Amino acid sequence: MAKELPKTYDFNETESKLYQWWWDQGYFEPSNDPRKPGFDPAVKPFVISIPPANVTGSLHLGHAMFVSLEDLMIRYHRMKGEPTLWVPGVDHAGIATQLQVEKMLVSQGTSRQELGREKFLEEVWAWKEKFGGIITQQIRRLGASCDWTRERFTLDEGLSKAVREAFVRLYEKGWIYRGPRMINWSPGLMTAVSDLEVEYSEEPGKLYYFKYRVAGSDEFIPVATTRPETILGDTAVAVHPEDERYGHLVGKNVVVPMVGREIPVIADEYVDREFGTGALKITPAHDPHDYEIGARHNLPSINVLNEDATINEQGGPYEGLDRFEARKKLWADMEAAGLVIKVEPYQLKVPRSQRGGEIIEPMVSTQWFIDIEQMGKAGLEAVRDGRIEIIPERFKKVYYNWMENLQDWCISRQLWWGHRIPVWYCDDCREMTVAREDPTVCAHCGSPQIHQDPDVLDTWFSSGLWPFSTLGWPEETPDLKYFYPTSVLETGYDILFFWVARMIMDGLEFTGEAPFHTVYLHGLIRDENGQKMSKTKNNVIDPLEVMDELGTDALRFTLLVGSTPGNDMNLSLKKVEANRNFANKLWNAGRFILRNLDAIPAKPEDEPTWTAADSWIWARLKTLTETVNRLFETYQFGEAGRQIYDFFWGEFADWYLEISKDQIAEGGDRAFYTVQVLVRVLDTCLRYLHPFTPFVTEALWGHLKETCQETSDLLAPEGGWEEALIVAKWPEALPMEGWEAEAIEDFSLVQEMIRAIRNIRAENKVQPSRKIACTISAGEKVALIEHQKQTFISLAGLDPEALVIVKEPLAPSDEQITLVITPVEITIPLAGLVDAEAEKERLSKELTEAESQIERLEKLLNSPFAQKAPATLVEKERAKLAEYQETAARLKLQLG
């Protein structure tokens, strides 16, 4: 007795149980594992290191996208029989985590400063233990088949050791140094921040025009700025060397407003003569471009801001004022002194802190930096020579542009949570000790009076080591030997430079090998109108809510099929709902097939004789296997998913499943072989869909396997049933044998005929239950059409007593509707069906269209095209012309 499945797939009941079962069975661990007996180092693995989510994080659509894509790749390669390892882990997320804990302390009436560093870090670790596992549990919800026995944390003991090792090695090579340079300063967070933590927004501002008086003269240079408070730190005024307006002033001095300091007028080609007044105030300490100009001209750099963005002692009378208060007061004083020219509205691109939202200040600050010029050259070469491929390829240009214009990387952060910089300062000899292990005395003079640098490393420093540090580096562990280099790095295109480039540079520097052979970049997820999702726009889609309501498979399939490498995608809940319906369609097809296993004998009596529908669906499946394998091999996963979807729903479910009902009703061998085809096609589709929709496919495949085993050994796939779909064999491309094209062509004709009859029924509002008469002139296809008689009766709603199939052409008549589907002609009696005049008008329209195509093709074939185009293409156009001529002739006969 075949098992009766519930009418609808219950994802809530299925997902968590299946995930736990997969984990309990050990399917997430590599099939060839250095930690287990029988390990074979010669078998090549497929490895992905997960982009570590922030320990503070909660699942958003960005996580859902990368988890779905990476899990798809992992499941695909696992089914291909390769040992697969997906290394999971989370990032300590320095700024984000410290902010969360500081907010908690404020709510408790205390602060980081009151607790002190040691107590504060105890609080952060306690917070991490309490909340740090939430994000990994949410990633599990998505079906992520990571090897959780190898989960890592960027502050765990092993990764901390790797960070120390990397820092010391670079320092010993002279590539890490401490000094003053331009950085992004967050006054709210009181730390340097990376470019990735700065978000630019278009905001209305002002352009302030004022006078720079020439020293010892009544002459002045008009200058414009968007930040008047930085005038206090100006050390030059620059003009273009070819600007005739100011050429005579180059080399003279001008006076800084309100502070009276004299500064030079210099010439530099960077100056845009068309912007503002064509004269540029130079503040090397507070503008990255001015910093470069200052370096070229050996200008002093005067920092006028404290760390909290108040004016420091360099600001003279404005000392102690907040930067924006100083702006107002300074401008008012300049106006009173007659130095103001005008103020204009101006659209600004304002840098704001990603975390706190305050305006970031470019500032020269003494920090730790890496000179990454040499590492950058190696990273550039690894992509140029093909050791690393970037998908899509157009992002290679972006990568090259970044890598050819590298700036020294600021790696220090003024935080307490993170990898503390392994540098100790001696209070006696003032020398620095840089060490892998915490020293007790100065390495230079032996004094015990040493103290560690208070800063921590940029989070991206440890993230850059991720592909190999997670496998045990700097130790030569069995995991590192076998699983490194990894295979694919999958992430969003927005962090190609911030993370991917650093991993490439670090991998090459510390291991001598590229950390992966392929970089796959996905795009951003936008709302259904293409807008960026944000809480202020109220258009954020919460993946956890979507999974609760519509299931994980529906969300995954939507993200995977809706995306193409490197392109943003628009997401709507309607798409997810449609894919929930697809999961149900899959389930119901399985229900139908399982139910019909009771209708077949245990084994057939004779060898199989296939129907046209059997041959067609098998030929189409063969085509699908070739297409899907080609698309997977070229990382076109979205298109592969669309092809599987279209085949399953549009061909297998809508056509073959319906035809199979009549074939099964015949009983005997016909029923057996029909169910055998149903089982094998469903089995193949479930295998192909498993990386996209793991839960519903595993659940349904389990029922299919169990029921088929109870019914007949002859229903098993080639090689037999595996223990679970997650480790089942991936269907390779089936070889073509020569008969497939004709099988597809023949059944396509049947489909076209049925669609045409259905359209006539729909246009004339014929009730679905009403059977109609029909005569088919089949010509050379008479045998095919005769064999498909029952298919026409069932799928086109024809009256079996009034269905006539003949070989010869039909006589024209005004009393019938005629459908010409070359080489077949179909007539349906008009009586009680349609308006005769309306039918004549329809035929006339079809004739006009056919004659239009004939005229177009005759012109084309009488043009130079016929001589210049490839012979195969010309022949194809001639065949089209002949077909339209035949159609027109038939239509003329029908019209009389």
Side-chain angles (χ1 to χ4, degrees), residues 752-753 755-757 759-760 763-764 816-822 824-828 837-855 883-895:
E752 201 173 343
M753 292 168 65
R755 287 191 193 101
I757 297 169
N759 287 342
I760 290 298
E763 287 168 13
N764 293 280
Q816 63 195 22
I817 294 174
T818 301
L819 303 166
V820 179
I821 300 158
T822 307
V824 173
E825 193 175 318
I826 302 167
T827 62
I828 300 169
E837 282 302 314
E839 174 57 12
K840 192 170 182 179
E841 186 180 341
R842 186 186 68 81
L843 288 172
S844 296
K845 283 182 179 176
E846 284 191 20
L847 178 59
T848 301
E849 172 59 22
E851 288 175 337
S852 169
Q853 292 294 340
I854 290 166
E855 183 183 356
E883 194 172 300
Y884 278 120
Q885 286 170 334
E886 187 181 341
T887 299
R890 285 172 178 267
L891 289 167
K892 284 175 183 174
L893 274 174
Q894 299 310 317
L895 286 164

Coordinates of all heavy atoms in Angstrom, one line a residue, residues 752-753 755-757 759-760 763-764 816-822 824-828 837-855 883-895:
E752 N 1.4 21.8 -29.6 CA 0.9 23.0 -30.3 C -0.6 22.9 -30.7 O -1.4 23.8 -30.7 CB 1.8 23.3 -31.5 CG 1.7 24.7 -32.0 CD 2.7 25.0 -33.1 OE1 3.7 24.2 -33.3 OE2 2.5 26.0 -33.8
M753 N -0.9 21.7 -31.2 CA -2.3 21.4 -31.6 C -3.2 21.5 -30.4 O -4.3 22.1 -30.5 CB -2.4 20.0 -32.2 CG -1.6 19.9 -33.6 SD -1.5 18.1 -34.1 CE -3.2 17.7 -34.4
R755 N -2.8 23.2 -27.6 CA -2.9 24.6 -27.2 C -3.8 25.3 -28.1 O -4.6 26.2 -27.7 CB -1.5 25.2 -27.2 CG -0.6 24.8 -26.1 CD 0.6 25.7 -26.0 NE 1.7 25.1 -25.2 CZ 2.8 24.5 -25.7 NH1 3.0 24.4 -27.0 NH2 3.6 24.0 -24.8
A756 N -3.7 25.1 -29.4 CA -4.6 25.8 -30.4 C -6.1 25.5 -30.1 O -6.9 26.4 -30.2 CB -4.2 25.4 -31.8
I757 N -6.4 24.2 -29.9 CA -7.8 23.8 -29.6 C -8.2 24.4 -28.3 O -9.4 24.9 -28.2 CB -7.9 22.3 -29.6 CG1 -7.6 21.7 -31.0 CG2 -9.3 21.9 -29.2 CD1 -7.4 20.2 -31.0
N759 N -7.2 27.2 -27.0 CA -7.4 28.6 -27.2 C -8.7 28.9 -27.9 O -9.4 29.8 -27.5 CB -6.3 29.2 -28.1 CG -4.9 29.3 -27.4 OD1 -4.9 29.3 -26.2 ND2 -3.8 29.4 -28.1
I760 N -9.1 28.0 -28.9 CA -10.4 28.2 -29.5 C -11.5 28.0 -28.5 O -12.5 28.8 -28.4 CB -10.6 27.2 -30.7 CG1 -9.6 27.6 -31.8 CG2 -12.0 27.1 -31.1 CD1 -10.0 29.0 -32.4
E763 N -11.5 31.2 -26.3 CA -12.1 32.4 -27.0 C -13.6 32.3 -27.1 O -14.2 33.4 -27.1 CB -11.4 32.5 -28.4 CG -10.0 32.9 -28.3 CD -9.3 32.7 -29.7 OE1 -10.0 32.5 -30.7 OE2 -8.0 32.8 -29.7
N764 N -14.1 31.1 -27.3 CA -15.5 31.0 -27.5 C -16.3 30.5 -26.2 O -17.5 30.2 -26.3 CB -15.8 29.9 -28.6 CG -15.3 30.4 -29.9 OD1 -16.0 31.2 -30.6 ND2 -14.1 30.0 -30.3
Q816 N -17.2 25.7 -40.3 CA -16.2 25.2 -39.4 C -15.1 26.2 -39.1 O -14.8 27.1 -39.9 CB -15.6 23.9 -39.9 CG -14.8 24.1 -41.2 CD -14.5 22.8 -42.0 OE1 -15.2 21.8 -41.8 NE2 -13.5 22.8 -42.8
I817 N -14.4 26.0 -38.0 CA -13.2 26.7 -37.6 C -12.1 25.9 -38.1 O -12.0 24.7 -37.9 CB -13.1 26.9 -36.1 CG1 -14.2 27.8 -35.6 CG2 -11.7 27.5 -35.7 CD1 -14.2 28.0 -34.1
T818 N -11.1 26.6 -38.8 CA -10.0 25.8 -39.3 C -8.7 26.3 -38.6 O -8.5 27.5 -38.5 CB -9.8 26.0 -40.8 OG1 -11.0 25.5 -41.4 CG2 -8.6 25.2 -41.3
L819 N -7.9 25.4 -38.1 CA -6.6 25.7 -37.5 C -5.5 25.1 -38.3 O -5.5 23.9 -38.5 CB -6.5 25.2 -36.1 CG -7.6 25.7 -35.1 CD1 -7.6 24.9 -33.8 CD2 -7.4 27.2 -34.8
V820 N -4.6 25.9 -38.8 CA -3.4 25.3 -39.6 C -2.2 25.3 -38.7 O -1.7 26.4 -38.4 CB -3.2 26.1 -40.9 CG1 -2.1 25.5 -41.7 CG2 -4.5 26.1 -41.7
I821 N -1.7 24.1 -38.4 CA -0.5 24.0 -37.7 C 0.4 23.0 -38.5 O 0.3 21.8 -38.4 CB -0.7 23.4 -36.3 CG1 -1.6 24.4 -35.5 CG2 0.6 23.2 -35.5 CD1 -2.4 23.7 -34.4
T822 N 1.1 23.7 -39.4 CA 1.9 22.9 -40.4 C 2.7 21.8 -39.8 O 3.4 22.0 -38.8 CB 2.8 23.9 -41.2 OG1 2.1 25.0 -41.7 CG2 3.5 23.2 -42.4
V824 N -0.2 20.0 -40.1 CA -1.5 19.4 -39.8 C -2.6 20.5 -39.9 O -2.3 21.7 -39.7 CB -1.4 18.9 -38.3 CG1 -2.8 18.5 -37.8 CG2 -0.5 17.7 -38.2
E825 N -3.8 20.0 -40.2 CA -4.9 21.0 -40.3 C -6.0 20.4 -39.4 O -6.3 19.2 -39.3 CB -5.4 21.0 -41.7 CG -6.4 22.1 -42.0 CD -6.7 22.1 -43.5 OE1 -5.8 22.0 -44.4 OE2 -7.9 22.3 -43.8
I826 N -6.6 21.3 -38.6 CA -7.7 20.9 -37.6 C -8.9 21.7 -38.0 O -8.9 22.9 -38.2 CB -7.2 21.2 -36.2 CG1 -5.9 20.5 -35.8 CG2 -8.3 20.9 -35.2 CD1 -5.3 21.0 -34.6
T827 N -10.0 21.0 -38.0 CA -11.3 21.7 -38.2 C -12.3 21.3 -37.0 O -12.3 20.2 -36.6 CB -12.0 21.3 -39.5 OG1 -12.3 19.9 -39.5 CG2 -11.1 21.7 -40.7
I828 N -12.9 22.4 -36.6 CA -13.9 22.2 -35.5 C -15.2 22.8 -36.0 O -15.3 24.0 -36.4 CB -13.5 23.0 -34.2 CG1 -12.1 22.4 -33.8 CG2 -14.5 22.9 -33.1 CD1 -11.4 23.2 -32.7
E837 N -19.0 34.8 -39.0 CA -18.3 36.0 -39.4 C -17.0 36.3 -38.6 O -16.0 36.6 -39.2 CB -19.2 37.2 -39.3 CG -20.2 37.3 -40.4 CD -19.6 37.4 -41.8 OE1 -18.6 38.2 -42.0 OE2 -20.0 36.6 -42.7
A838 N -17.1 36.0 -37.3 CA -15.9 36.2 -36.5 C -14.8 35.2 -36.9 O -13.6 35.6 -36.9 CB -16.3 36.0 -35.0
E839 N -15.2 34.0 -37.2 CA -14.2 33.0 -37.6 C -13.5 33.4 -38.9 O -12.3 33.2 -39.1 CB -14.9 31.6 -37.8 CG -14.0 30.5 -38.3 CD -12.7 30.3 -37.5 OE1 -12.6 30.8 -36.4 OE2 -11.8 29.6 -38.0
K840 N -14.4 34.0 -39.9 CA -13.8 34.4 -41.1 C -12.8 35.5 -40.9 O -11.7 35.6 -41.5 CB -15.0 34.9 -42.1 CG -14.5 35.1 -43.5 CD -15.8 35.3 -44.4 CE -15.3 35.4 -45.8 NZ -16.5 35.7 -46.7
E841 N -13.1 36.4 -40.0 CA -12.2 37.5 -39.7 C -10.9 37.0 -39.1 O -9.8 37.5 -39.4 CB -12.9 38.5 -38.7 CG -12.1 39.8 -38.4 CD -12.8 40.7 -37.5 OE1 -14.0 40.6 -37.2 OE2 -12.1 41.5 -36.9
R842 N -11.0 36.0 -38.2 CA -9.8 35.4 -37.6 C -8.9 34.8 -38.7 O -7.7 35.0 -38.7 CB -10.2 34.4 -36.6 CG -9.0 33.8 -35.8 CD -9.4 32.7 -34.9 NE -9.8 31.5 -35.7 CZ -8.9 30.6 -36.2 NH1 -7.6 30.8 -36.0 NH2 -9.4 29.6 -36.9
L843 N -9.5 34.1 -39.6 CA -8.7 33.4 -40.7 C -8.1 34.5 -41.6 O -6.9 34.3 -42.0 CB -9.6 32.5 -41.5 CG -10.1 31.2 -40.9 CD1 -11.1 30.5 -41.7 CD2 -8.9 30.3 -40.6
S844 N -8.8 35.6 -41.8 CA -8.3 36.7 -42.7 C -7.1 37.3 -42.0 O -6.1 37.6 -42.7 CB -9.4 37.7 -42.9 OG -10.4 37.2 -43.7
K845 N -7.1 37.5 -40.7 CA -6.0 38.1 -40.0 C -4.8 37.2 -40.0 O -3.7 37.6 -40.2 CB -6.4 38.3 -38.5 CG -7.2 39.5 -38.3 CD -7.5 39.7 -36.8 CE -8.4 41.0 -36.5 NZ -8.7 41.1 -35.1
E846 N -5.0 35.9 -39.9 CA -3.9 34.9 -40.0 C -3.3 34.9 -41.4 O -2.1 34.8 -41.5 CB -4.4 33.5 -39.6 CG -4.6 33.3 -38.1 CD -4.8 31.8 -37.8 OE1 -4.5 30.9 -38.6 OE2 -5.4 31.5 -36.7
L847 N -4.2 35.0 -42.4 CA -3.7 35.1 -43.8 C -2.8 36.3 -44.0 O -1.8 36.3 -44.6 CB -4.8 35.0 -44.8 CG -4.4 35.1 -46.2 CD1 -3.5 33.9 -46.6 CD2 -5.7 35.1 -47.1
T848 N -3.3 37.5 -43.5 CA -2.6 38.7 -43.6 C -1.2 38.6 -43.0 O -0.2 39.1 -43.6 CB -3.4 39.9 -43.0 OG1 -4.6 40.0 -43.6 CG2 -2.6 41.2 -43.1
E849 N -1.1 38.0 -41.8 CA 0.1 37.9 -41.1 C 1.1 36.9 -41.9 O 2.3 37.2 -42.1 CB -0.1 37.3 -39.7 CG 1.2 36.9 -39.0 CD 2.2 38.0 -38.7 OE1 1.8 39.2 -38.8 OE2 3.3 37.7 -38.5
A850 N 0.5 35.8 -42.4 CA 1.3 34.9 -43.2 C 1.9 35.6 -44.5 O 3.0 35.4 -44.8 CB 0.5 33.7 -43.6
E851 N 1.0 36.4 -45.2 CA 1.4 37.0 -46.4 C 2.5 38.1 -46.1 O 3.4 38.3 -46.9 CB 0.2 37.6 -47.1 CG -0.6 36.6 -47.8 CD -1.9 37.2 -48.4 OE1 -2.4 38.2 -47.9 OE2 -2.5 36.5 -49.3
S852 N 2.4 38.8 -44.9 CA 3.4 39.8 -44.5 C 4.7 39.1 -44.3 O 5.8 39.6 -44.8 CB 2.9 40.4 -43.2 OG 3.9 41.2 -42.7
Q853 N 4.7 37.9 -43.7 CA 6.0 37.2 -43.5 C 6.6 36.7 -44.8 O 7.8 36.7 -45.0 CB 5.7 36.0 -42.5 CG 5.4 36.4 -41.1 CD 6.5 37.1 -40.4 OE1 7.7 37.0 -40.8 NE2 6.2 37.8 -39.4
I854 N 5.7 36.3 -45.7 CA 6.1 35.8 -47.1 C 6.8 37.0 -47.8 O 7.9 36.8 -48.3 CB 5.0 35.3 -47.9 CG1 4.5 34.0 -47.3 CG2 5.4 35.1 -49.4 CD1 3.1 33.5 -47.8
E855 N 6.2 38.2 -47.8 CA 6.8 39.3 -48.4 C 8.1 39.7 -47.8 O 9.1 40.0 -48.5 CB 5.8 40.5 -48.3 CG 6.3 41.8 -49.1 CD 5.3 43.0 -48.9 OE1 4.3 42.8 -48.2 OE2 5.7 44.1 -49.4
E883 N 7.2 27.3 -45.3 CA 6.2 27.0 -44.3 C 5.1 28.0 -44.3 O 3.9 27.7 -44.3 CB 6.9 26.9 -42.9 CG 6.0 26.3 -41.9 CD 6.8 26.1 -40.6 OE1 7.8 25.4 -40.6 OE2 6.4 26.7 -39.6
Y884 N 5.5 29.3 -44.4 CA 4.4 30.4 -44.5 C 3.6 30.3 -45.8 O 2.4 30.6 -45.8 CB 5.1 31.8 -44.4 CG 5.4 32.2 -43.0 CD1 6.7 32.4 -42.6 CD2 4.4 32.3 -42.0 CE1 7.0 32.8 -41.3 CE2 4.7 32.7 -40.7 CZ 6.0 32.9 -40.3 OH 6.3 33.3 -39.0
Q885 N 4.3 29.9 -46.9 CA 3.5 29.8 -48.2 C 2.5 28.7 -48.1 O 1.4 28.8 -48.6 CB 4.5 29.5 -49.3 CG 5.3 30.8 -49.7 CD 6.5 30.4 -50.6 OE1 7.0 29.3 -50.7 NE2 6.9 31.4 -51.4
E886 N 2.9 27.6 -47.4 CA 2.0 26.4 -47.2 C 0.8 26.9 -46.3 O -0.4 26.5 -46.6 CB 2.7 25.3 -46.6 CG 1.9 24.0 -46.6 CD 2.6 22.8 -45.9 OE1 3.8 22.8 -45.9 OE2 1.9 21.9 -45.5
T887 N 1.1 27.6 -45.3 CA 0.1 28.1 -44.4 C -0.9 29.0 -45.1 O -2.1 28.9 -45.0 CB 0.7 28.8 -43.2 OG1 1.5 27.9 -42.4 CG2 -0.4 29.4 -42.2
A888 N -0.4 29.9 -45.9 CA -1.2 30.9 -46.6 C -2.1 30.1 -47.6 O -3.3 30.5 -47.8 CB -0.3 31.9 -47.4
A889 N -1.6 29.1 -48.3 CA -2.4 28.4 -49.3 C -3.5 27.7 -48.6 O -4.7 27.7 -49.1 CB -1.5 27.4 -50.0
R890 N -3.3 27.1 -47.4 CA -4.4 26.4 -46.7 C -5.4 27.4 -46.2 O -6.6 27.1 -46.3 CB -3.8 25.7 -45.4 CG -3.0 24.4 -45.8 CD -2.3 23.9 -44.5 NE -1.6 22.7 -44.8 CZ -2.1 21.4 -44.6 NH1 -3.3 21.3 -44.1 NH2 -1.4 20.4 -44.8
L891 N -5.0 28.6 -45.7 CA -5.9 29.6 -45.2 C -6.8 30.1 -46.4 O -8.0 30.3 -46.2 CB -5.1 30.7 -44.6 CG -4.5 30.4 -43.2 CD1 -3.5 31.4 -42.8 CD2 -5.6 30.2 -42.1
K892 N -6.2 30.3 -47.6 CA -7.0 30.7 -48.7 C -8.0 29.7 -49.1 O -9.2 30.1 -49.4 CB -6.0 31.0 -49.9 CG -5.2 32.2 -49.8 CD -4.2 32.4 -51.0 CE -3.4 33.6 -50.8 NZ -2.3 33.7 -51.8
L893 N -7.7 28.4 -49.0 CA -8.7 27.4 -49.3 C -9.8 27.5 -48.3 O -11.0 27.3 -48.6 CB -8.0 26.0 -49.1 CG -7.3 25.5 -50.4 CD1 -6.6 24.2 -50.1 CD2 -8.3 25.3 -51.5
Q894 N -9.5 27.7 -47.0 CA -10.5 27.8 -46.0 C -11.5 29.0 -46.2 O -12.7 28.9 -45.9 CB -9.9 27.8 -44.6 CG -9.0 26.6 -44.2 CD -9.7 25.3 -44.4 OE1 -10.9 25.2 -44.1 NE2 -9.0 24.4 -45.0
L895 N -10.9 30.1 -46.6 CA -11.7 31.3 -46.9 C -12.5 31.2 -48.2 O -13.3 32.0 -48.4 CB -10.7 32.5 -46.9 CG -10.2 32.9 -45.5 CD1 -9.0 33.9 -45.7 CD2 -11.3 33.6 -44.7

